[in-house]
Amino acid sequence: MKNSIFHEPVSNLVEKICIIILVCSQILISGISSSSLGPMTAFLGDEKDAIQFIYYSGIIATISIYPLIGRFTRYFRKRQLLLMCISLELILLILSVFSKNDVELFICNYLLSTIKMLCLIICIGLFMAKYNLSQSRGLFYGLYYAFSFSLSQLYSYAVAVLLQTYSWKYTFLLSLPGIFISLLIVIFLMHSKRMVRKYPFYQIDWIGYLLFVVSSLCLSFGCIFGERLEWLESNLIRFVFTTAVIGYVLWVLRMLAIRRPYVNVRVLFMFSHVRWGVGLMVCMFFIYNTFNISTEFMKVNLKYNDTYVAASNLYMIIAFLIFIPLTGIWLHRFHRAREPLFIGFMLFAVYYFYTAHIFYPEENSGFFLLPMMIRGAAYGISITSLSYYASVNIPAEASSHRAFLSLASRSVFAAPITSAFWQDRFNHFKQKQYDVIAAQYSMDDYRVQDFMKGSVLDHQKSGHGVELANQLATHSLHAKIYNDALILSAQNIYYVLAVVSLLLAIAVLCLKVLNIHYVSEKNKYPLTYVDV
């Protein structure tokens, strides 16, 4: 077919099925899953923070290659590039299985994430050319985000189930069936004809690339190790944060000075809605990136394992598949981001108010169905609206630079910073609540005496001696205090987040810059066109 990468005899239906398989196989490729951090830490003999840093390095690799993808796709033929990328993914996944230390794992994870992003963007381009004929940005985000977020949750659940029986190394093999099928599709069904004019593969700003990568790695390292090393009390943390700041300043200055920059940061100054879109994405992650709090509650108070925690996150898929496409359709038809963005932030407020009231160990997983659906709807509506808002009404040549700034703002900057902030505040509040509750639990209190007597008797009935039974009873008392402190701390943070979410929703109603896309005289560039 004309302008198709597939051979002429391949039918339109077969093309659509093959493209879906290609996109799904790339979404499901993951170097390190968050569910496997614990088992990997035990096997490699490292601290969990070190493995988490490798996990973040994959995110940095994914984002940092984005501005260079256009160079690759215009230099290589699509079939040639897909064949190279998928083959390298296969090799790196197998090498990851045999990683014996964190250095080898870091290299494999970084390279795999880089190549995955390159391959994924090509597959997304094929997907949108086939399923989004109008090239609508609203429909693009409505389709892709619903697809991607749902598959990611299913993958996390599959990893958690796999880890119950097998080693963490087997998680790398989950993607192999999709890769093998993708290889067969590329080899036998695609042609090698050049579809766009060849672009020289030179004058790439590799210094800008390295400056961004090194600075981002330093930022992530500081955010991950900061709390354990007491933040700025540590010389190492001061050094990495200073390096990150200096690196980013040098990076921006270089982007403004050279003729062919790695990223054109002037896009932020040229288009006000890009600045506001990036700023609101950071605000959204500030109120969204609190999974560690609910996860710890499920594991400590409800005694859930990783599989049950991952299963509770599956409830969000229902919201993703309903509300993200509806948001995309709204944006496609009306070009108005204010209304869905207001709804998204309001749903965050509802989620935090509601969840704060069910932070009790007596509740069961069924009670998390509604709040997780609300959370999924809030995130899906908000990210779809902001992605659309920040991306339209700019020239095509600035599109990739804008996309990089949006991705980097939420995944490279906001994600580690907000995660570190809320984890630090959560631990701080837990300690304060623990001290307050422990001071109230005097041994003269009849409730404490009754608890200790009952606990000692239970342990003695289990066959423990008197001394050990008393030790275990004391441990149970401390565990009870910790559980109560965790609940109170989580509730306090969630109430704060509810208020912040409510204020953001009100602010959305007041921001005049959100009118930019439906005031016709201000729309210099097409509102619907997307160049993947």
Side-chain angles (χ1 to χ4, degrees):
M1 278 165 273
K2 189 177 181 181
N3 297 326
S4 174
I5 193 175
F6 290 87
H7 288 297
E8 190 67 30
V10 179
S11 68
N12 187 55
L13 177 61
V14 173
E15 278 193 31
K16 289 183 176 181
I17 295 173
C18 290
I19 290 172
I20 289 177
I21 293 173
L22 288 171
V23 174
C24 289
S25 68
Q26 292 304 309
I27 292 173
L28 295 177
I29 290 175
S30 176
I32 297 177
S33 170
S34 57
S35 302
S36 58
L37 293 179
M40 293 173 71
T41 299
F43 177 83
L44 294 174
D46 284 313
E47 298 168 343
K48 186 177 180 180
D49 291 342
I51 306 301
Q52 189 175 8
F53 173 69
I54 298 175
Y55 169 77
Y56 269 106
S57 73
I59 298 175
I60 293 169
T62 299
I63 306 304
S64 59
I65 194 61
Y66 188 88
L68 307 180
I69 292 176
R71 290 297 190 104
F72 286 92
T73 55
R74 289 195 295 266
Y75 181 80
F76 295 98
R77 293 177 173 88
K78 281 189 178 179
R79 180 181 182 275
Q80 179 187 11
L81 191 55
L82 282 172
L83 197 57
M84 287 192 300
C85 288
I86 296 174
S87 300
L88 286 172
E89 287 172 342
L90 176 60
I91 294 170
L92 288 168
L93 282 170
I94 294 174
L95 288 176
S96 299
V97 174
F98 296 99
S99 299
K100 296 180 180 179
N101 55 62
D102 51 3
V103 175
E104 294 177 3
L105 194 60
F106 176 90
I107 295 172
C108 288
N109 188 62
Y110 189 91
L111 293 176
L112 179 62
S113 300
T114 299
I115 295 166
K116 171 196 170 173
M117 186 61 166
L118 177 57
C119 195
L120 178 62
I121 294 301
I122 299 172
C123 295
I124 290 175
L126 297 175
F127 179 84
M128 298 314 297
K130 184 62 63 175
Y131 287 91
N132 185 16
L133 300 178
S134 66
Q135 294 292 287
S136 164
R137 287 188 183 273
L139 295 181
F140 165 64
Y141 291 118
L143 280 171
Y144 177 69
Y145 281 164
F147 209 48
S148 176
F149 295 164
S150 300
L151 283 177
S152 297
Q153 292 300 330
L154 287 172
Y155 176 81
S156 297
Y157 178 72
V159 168
V161 171
L162 191 64
L163 288 172
Q164 280 190 317
T165 309
Y166 301 101
S167 167
W168 60 270
K169 294 187 174 186
Y170 288 94
T171 60
F172 293 106
L173 305 180
L174 281 174
S175 307
L176 292 186
I179 287 181
F180 283 125
I181 296 174
S182 297
L183 275 175
L184 294 176
I185 291 172
V186 174
I187 292 171
F188 294 106
L189 299 182
M190 292 185 177
H191 62 70
S192 298
K193 298 176 183 177
R194 181 171 292 280
M195 302 181 68
V196 293
R197 184 174 65 88
K198 188 175 183 178
Y199 195 86
F201 196 68
Y202 65 91
Q203 294 180 329
I204 293 177
D205 181 21
W206 291 111
I207 296 178
Y209 170 85
L210 290 174
L211 274 174
F212 179 80
V213 170
V214 172
S215 303
S216 300
L217 288 174
C218 288
L219 175 64
S220 293
F221 184 93
C223 291
I224 292 168
F225 286 88
E227 184 177 14
R228 185 170 61 82
L229 298 178
E230 298 184 356
W231 296 110
L232 297 181
E233 297 296 322
S234 166
N235 290 331
L236 178 60
I237 297 302
R238 287 202 298 268
F239 172 76
V240 295
F241 277 145
T242 302
T243 303
V245 172
I246 294 174
Y248 282 130
V249 170
L250 292 175
W251 178 74
V252 171
L253 292 175
R254 180 176 176 81
M255 296 305 99
L256 294 172
I258 66 174
R259 183 180 177 185
R260 295 182 178 88
Y262 165 66
V263 173
N264 184 8
V265 296
R266 290 184 175 87
V267 170
L268 281 175
F269 306 103
M270 294 165 60
F271 306 101
S272 61
H273 63 286
V274 175
R275 293 196 301 273
W276 280 98
V278 168
L280 287 171
M281 281 187 185
V282 173
C283 293
M284 184 199 68
F285 259 76
F286 180 78
I287 60 176
Y288 170 73
N289 201 17
T290 57
F291 267 110
N292 55 337
I293 297 177
S294 58
T295 297
E296 186 170 350
F297 169 76
M298 292 180 189
K299 289 184 176 180
V300 174
N301 293 75
L302 301 182
K303 312 301 179 185
Y304 285 1
N305 57 25
D306 289 330
T307 304
Y308 275 92
V309 173
S312 68
N313 291 336
L314 292 178
Y315 296 143
M316 291 194 295
I317 293 178
I318 302 172
F320 289 156
L321 294 177
I322 295 174
F323 292 100
I324 294 179
L326 288 177
T327 304
I329 293 170
W330 168 273
L331 295 170
H332 169 68
R333 295 192 61 183
F334 301 105
H335 313 302
R336 297 165 64 100
R338 184 192 303 277
E339 291 85 348
L341 194 54
F342 170 76
I343 294 172
F345 285 142
M346 282 299 297
L347 285 175
F348 273 120
V350 172
Y351 164 75
Y352 285 116
F353 271 125
Y354 180 77
T355 308
H357 285 81
I358 64 170
F359 268 134
Y360 294 99
E362 292 79 11
E363 308 291 0
N364 57 57
S365 61
F367 286 87
F368 283 93
L369 170 61
L370 182 58
M372 293 307 285
M373 287 182 62
I374 295 173
R375 183 189 182 97
Y379 178 69
I381 293 171
S382 300
I383 193 68
T384 304
S385 303
L386 286 174
S387 297
Y388 173 87
Y389 172 74
S391 65
V392 301
N393 205 22
I394 60 176
E397 59 269 18
S399 181
S400 63
H401 303 287
R402 189 282 318 162
F404 169 83
L405 294 170
S406 294
L407 292 170
S409 68
R410 66 179 188 248
S411 299
V412 177
F413 302 123
I417 292 173
T418 55
S419 178
F421 175 80
W422 286 120
Q423 187 63 52
D424 178 76
R425 292 297 84 197
F426 188 39
N427 291 334
H428 174 74
F429 290 142
K430 279 189 297 184
Q431 186 59 54
K432 287 185 64 176
Q433 293 290 351
Y434 185 93
D435 293 339
V436 171
I437 297 172
Q440 298 172 352
Y441 274 47
S442 169
M443 293 305 296
D444 297 331
D445 193 320
Y446 73 92
R447 294 171 299 176
V448 178
Q449 294 175 358
D450 290 342
F451 177 85
M452 289 293 293
K453 288 178 182 178
S455 183
V456 169
L457 288 175
D458 290 338
H459 289 302
Q460 286 181 324
K461 290 178 182 178
S462 300
H464 299 297
V466 176
E467 183 177 354
L468 181 57
N470 277 285
Q471 292 176 356
L472 292 172
T474 302
H475 176 76
S476 298
L477 178 62
H478 286 295
K480 175 177 172 56
I481 296 173
Y482 179 81
N483 290 352
D484 292 343
L486 191 155
I487 291 172
L488 292 174
S489 301
Q491 286 180 322
N492 291 338
I493 290 177
Y494 271 39
Y495 282 131
V496 170
L497 285 166
V499 173
V500 173
S501 302
L502 186 60
L503 292 175
L504 284 172
I506 295 172
V508 165
L509 295 178
C510 302
L511 290 174
K512 292 184 178 180
V513 71
L514 289 172
N515 297 339
I516 191 170
H517 296 325
Y518 56 87
V519 178
S520 58
E521 61 269 20
K522 293 185 178 181
N523 294 325
K524 184 178 179 181
Y525 305 102
L527 284 170
T528 58
Y529 179 70
V530 56
D531 182 14
V532 179

